[in-house]
Amino acid sequence: LCTYVLDNSPEKNEIIAKVSHILDLKVNRFGEKPVINRYNFKNFFNKKSDGIEDWLHAINIAEFVVTDSFHGVAFSIIFNKQFIAIGNKSRGLSRFLSILKVFNLEKRLVLIDSEHKNLKGILEVMLEDRIDYDIVNSIIDNEKIKSDLYLKKHLC
C-alpha cells in the first residue's frame, strides 16, 4: 500500500489504516511532512530525502495507492493502480473531480467531511469495486488522439 499524502490528518491516517487492514498490505508512506521539534531538528536537515524516482517506483510497484494529491491520482492512473483519492478542498478539489470525471472514476473520491461517519463501509465498497483499466486505457488512447489533432490544428 503506497500512500502519498501531502496534508496529514488523523482522518487520513484512519483511512490508510483501514485500507491497510482490509487489504492486508504493509504501508509505504511518501510525501508526509515530518514533525520538526528541538529533538529532531538537526537530524531533519541531515536526512537524505527520497527522490522523484523513488516516489514513482513506489507507486509503480504498489498493489494499491491512497493519496490526497492530484499527481498521486494521475500517476496511479498512468501506472494502472487501484487507488482511493482523498479530496482536499484547500488543494484544488476541482482538479480531482476533473481527472476522475474523464475516466468515470468519481467513486474513487473520498471527502472526509461528508463521508467520515460510514467510512469503513464506503472503503469496503470501493475496495471491492476494482477499476477496469481496459476502459481507462481506451479513454487515454482517445484523449491522446484528440490532443494530437488539436495541436496539429492550432500549431500547423
Side-chain angles (χ1 to χ4, degrees):
L1 174 65
C2 177
T3 68
Y4 182 55
V5 176
L6 300 176
D7 298 310
N8 202 357
S9 72
E11 295 84 5
K12 291 176 186 179
N13 286 331
E14 182 182 348
I15 290 170
I16 292 166
K18 286 183 181 195
V19 171
S20 173
H21 177 75
I22 292 167
L23 296 177
D24 193 26
L25 294 174
K26 181 183 168 213
V27 177
N28 183 9
R29 294 177 184 263
F30 270 82
E32 292 185 355
K33 298 172 189 163
V35 175
I36 302 172
N37 58 41
R38 64 185 174 126
Y39 302 107
N40 68 2
F41 184 77
K42 182 178 177 185
N43 291 336
F44 173 74
F45 289 103
N46 293 326
K47 181 183 177 227
K48 180 187 176 290
S49 63
D50 296 316
I52 293 171
E53 300 89 357
D54 300 315
W55 173 66
L56 291 172
H57 179 70
I59 294 173
N60 192 31
I61 66 168
E63 288 185 44
F64 200 94
V65 177
V66 176
T67 187
D68 70 347
S69 156
F70 171 82
H71 290 96
V73 170
F75 281 104
S76 295
I77 292 169
I78 289 168
F79 292 136
N80 287 197
K81 298 299 167 182
Q82 300 298 315
F83 69 91
I84 289 176
I86 304 171
N88 188 334
K89 293 177 183 173
S90 65
R91 266 195 197 271
L93 186 57
S94 62
R95 293 189 306 163
F96 282 83
L97 295 170
S98 177
I99 192 170
L100 293 171
K101 186 174 182 177
V102 167
F103 300 107
N104 196 24
L105 297 174
E106 297 98 324
K107 292 187 282 183
R108 309 310 292 185
L109 183 64
V110 174
L111 297 173
I112 292 173
D113 297 343
S114 62
E115 298 176 355
H116 193 64
K117 293 176 184 166
N118 187 24
L119 187 58
K120 186 174 185 218
I122 290 164
L123 290 177
E124 287 173 352
V125 169
M126 264 189 201
L127 299 176
E128 290 173 7
D129 185 21
R130 298 189 53 82
I131 299 168
D132 184 343
Y133 274 102
D134 289 336
I135 295 170
V136 170
N137 291 328
S138 175
I139 293 169
I140 290 172
D141 291 341
N142 289 334
E143 291 297 319
K144 285 180 184 178
I145 291 167
K146 286 172 31 180
S147 298
D148 190 44
L149 291 172
Y150 177 86
L151 289 172
K152 284 178 181 176
K153 178 181 178 181
H154 290 87
L155 295 177
C156 296

